Amino acid sequence: AEYNAKASEISKLEAKIRDQQTRMKELLQSRHNIKDNEQKTAAMEEIKAIHKELNENIKSFNKATRELRYRFPDEGYLTDRKYIQ
C-alpha cells in the first residue's frame, strides 16, 4: 500500500514536470514574438514562477524516487527515471 501511494505520487510529479516543461517552452517561444515590453515582462514573470515550481517538483520527484529505491529495492522499475537540475 505504501509502495503504491509513493509510486502514484511519483507518477503525478512526473506528469506535472512534463506539463511545466511544455508550458515553459511555449512561453519562451511566444515571448520572442511579443513586441510590447509590458507583455514581455509579464511573460518572463510567468516563466520565472513556472521555473521555480518546476525546480521544487523536480526535487520532490528525486526525493520520492530515492526513498522508493531504498525502501522497496525489489520493485525499483520506477526509480530508473531521473530529472537533473
Side-chain angles (χ1 to χ4, degrees):
E2 188 178 352
Y3 176 83
N4 291 336
K6 192 59 80 171
S8 173
E9 177 186 344
I10 288 172
S11 295
K12 288 176 187 175
L13 284 168
E14 189 174 27
K16 275 186 186 178
I17 289 169
R18 217 176 305 116
D19 291 344
Q20 288 169 331
Q21 287 174 332
T22 303
R23 179 68 180 139
M24 259 179 68
K25 285 178 186 176
E26 290 170 356
L27 282 170
L28 287 168
Q29 289 174 351
S30 69
R31 183 179 162 266
H32 293 292
N33 298 327
I34 298 173
K35 303 293 181 199
D36 183 34
N37 280 339
E38 238 177 75
Q39 288 179 337
K40 270 190 179 184
T41 304
M44 277 308 296
E45 291 302 316
E46 188 176 351
I47 289 170
K48 286 179 188 177
I50 291 172
H51 187 262
K52 183 178 178 182
E53 190 178 334
L54 177 63
N55 282 338
E56 290 171 6
N57 285 335
I58 288 172
K59 284 180 186 177
S60 297
F61 175 87
N62 288 336
K63 180 182 176 189
T65 55
R66 275 193 309 272
E67 187 177 319
L68 201 63
R69 178 184 300 133
Y70 295 115
R71 290 184 84 184
F72 306 97
D74 54 329
E75 300 187 42
Y77 78 96
L78 281 174
T79 60
D80 293 336
R81 293 180 241 154
K82 292 182 183 173
Y83 289 96
I84 301 173
Q85 291 182 319

